[in-house]
Amino acid sequence: MEPGAVEALFTRGDGSYLFARWDRPIVLVVFGVAEESLPVIKGAFEAVVALAGHKMADTDPELGANLMVFFVRDWDELLAVPDLDRLVPELAGLVGRLQGAGANQYRIFRFEASGAIKAAFVFLRMDAALAEMPAETLALAQAVQTILLWSDRAFDGGSPLARAGEAVILRPDIAGVIRAGYDRVMPAVAHEPSHALRLAARVAVAGRPS
């Protein structure tokens, strides 16, 4: 990817540059799906975490779980989830905004003192559009969008996924950015656009034939 394209992935709507990744192992919990769908959904998240070279765990010593994915049929269902309003204090207002916008998905991040990702909450309202998607494709898209703090506009022009024959895969360019972002020599948090130059350089090196 060209440096400008990488920079755009982390340049927010207000023009500021912000990159963040997870430092702590990811502990995933999924709510609202049938038991038989859980391995497929968890497998997609595990694949993206493995791509990043990051780790998953069974429990977080501080939070218990730090990546929670909620599948609902209507946004009002979130208000009935026990203690969710303690984890997401703005829940009632958020539900109202999501209903008003007719949204079918939303993600919230919480951050460490350092600025690295500490926790993420993924909310999916299974409208007709999402219900048509295979569970693996839907989970892969959400895993990609929670492994890094992308810009709020990063994927406005297209999905991070692509079709390869009958399969849906992660776009190679986005996979390269994820791997580069988790390179041990790279910072967990960055606010300067020059960070995108370093990411792009690593993507280019990784993409060259040996």
Side-chain angles (χ1 to χ4, degrees):
M1 296 182 74
E2 294 297 324
V6 176
E7 182 178 338
L9 291 172
F10 303 102
T11 301
R12 309 193 70 75
D14 62 4
S16 64
Y17 183 92
L18 177 58
F19 168 95
R21 72 184 187 206
W22 294 78
D23 263 352
R24 63 177 67 199
I26 293 174
V27 181
L28 172 67
V29 176
V30 181
F31 301 91
V33 298
E35 193 72 25
E36 58 268 22
S37 298
L38 282 175
V40 174
I41 295 170
K42 289 185 175 181
F45 278 86
E46 289 167 353
V48 173
V49 172
L51 167 73
H54 194 51
K55 296 179 180 179
M56 297 191 74
D58 293 328
T59 188
D60 181 285
E62 180 184 354
L63 303 172
N66 54 35
L67 176 50
M68 301 183 186
V69 182
F70 296 85
F71 290 80
V72 299
R73 294 189 179 277
D74 188 271
W75 289 126
D76 278 339
E77 293 177 29
L78 293 176
L79 300 176
V81 177
D83 298 325
L84 184 58
D85 57 343
R86 295 175 58 188
L87 297 171
V88 185
E90 66 273 29
L91 183 63
L94 173 62
V95 166
R97 292 194 299 274
L98 293 174
Q99 289 173 327
N104 62 9
Q105 57 186 288
Y106 192 77
R107 287 168 294 278
I108 298 174
F109 291 88
R110 296 286 183 262
F111 301 94
E112 312 274 10
S114 65
I117 300 172
K118 179 178 183 178
F121 303 89
V122 179
F123 304 118
L124 299 168
R125 180 176 64 84
M126 299 303 291
D127 62 1
L130 292 188
E132 288 180 358
M133 295 177 65
E136 185 175 9
T137 300
L138 180 56
L140 181 59
Q142 299 306 318
V144 171
Q145 293 181 84
T146 51
I147 194 66
L148 293 172
L149 183 68
W150 307 92
S151 161
D152 50 342
R153 306 181 303 177
F155 302 116
D156 284 355
S159 169
L161 308 183
R163 185 168 291 280
E166 295 299 315
V168 174
I169 63 170
L170 175 58
R171 279 169 37 194
D173 55 343
I174 297 301
V177 171
I178 292 171
R179 282 193 295 262
Y182 276 85
D183 190 313
R184 292 184 179 182
V185 304
M186 296 293 286
V189 182
H191 299 274
E192 297 298 328
S194 58
H195 172 265
L197 296 174
R198 298 176 63 193
L199 282 179
R202 280 164 175 76
V203 173
V205 168
R208 290 175 189 157
S210 56

